[in-house]
Amino acid sequence: MDELISRLMAASGLNEEQTRKAVGIILAFLQKEGPPAEIGQLMAALPGAQELADAESGAKGGVLGAIGGLMGGGGGVMALGGQLMGAGLSMGQIQTVSKEMFAVGREKAGEDAMGAIVGAIPGLGQFV
């Protein structure tokens, strides 16, 4: 996980706290929306990923949660973007973090797992 965090910090210009929060938000979203088998592969390939996801999975309330609810269900990728913006990321940083995270995911969990995840979540492909 430290390798991923360092890589994301270098690519995005975020500090460590922001980066860990962003990774946790993305992982919690993927666990909620993605195919369980492939998400399991990804989480297993990234030691410490579950802890970051767990830290963010309960922190979805407030205005962004309400907006997500209005959009139907969890709000999908748009709600994810809102959560990341709420954590202080710009749109450029969101794209950088997403692309880099999925690149690491492909390296660690494999192209098949990551392709299945992207294919199963509507709209995710535009960010990775």
Side-chain angles (χ1 to χ4, degrees):
M1 186 52 60
D2 290 339
E3 174 190 343
L4 172 63
I5 298 298
S6 296
R7 203 163 143 176
L8 294 175
M9 286 171 51
S12 67
L14 295 169
N15 65 37
E16 184 174 354
E17 181 182 340
Q18 289 173 308
T19 304
R20 287 186 179 280
K21 183 161 187 67
V23 170
I25 290 169
I26 292 168
L27 290 172
F29 170 81
L30 293 176
Q31 279 193 305
K32 181 176 176 255
E33 302 285 333
E38 287 81 1
I39 296 298
Q41 285 180 260
L42 175 62
M43 299 303 270
L46 298 171
Q50 191 61 58
E51 290 79 10
L52 288 179
D54 289 347
E56 296 304 324
S57 63
K60 294 184 178 168
V63 174
L64 295 175
I67 291 170
L70 292 174
M71 296 174 74
V77 172
M78 293 300 290
L80 172 62
Q83 279 187 285
L84 292 168
M85 287 174 148
L89 278 72
S90 69
M91 188 51 113
Q93 289 169 322
I94 290 170
Q95 290 177 324
T96 299
V97 167
S98 298
K99 286 182 191 310
E100 199 65 30
M101 243 184 102
F102 273 76
V104 170
R106 285 183 187 96
E107 292 168 17
K108 305 286 186 189
E111 184 66 47
D112 290 345
M114 297 310 290
I117 292 168
V118 172
I121 301 173
L124 187 60
Q126 67 185 343
F127 292 99
V128 298

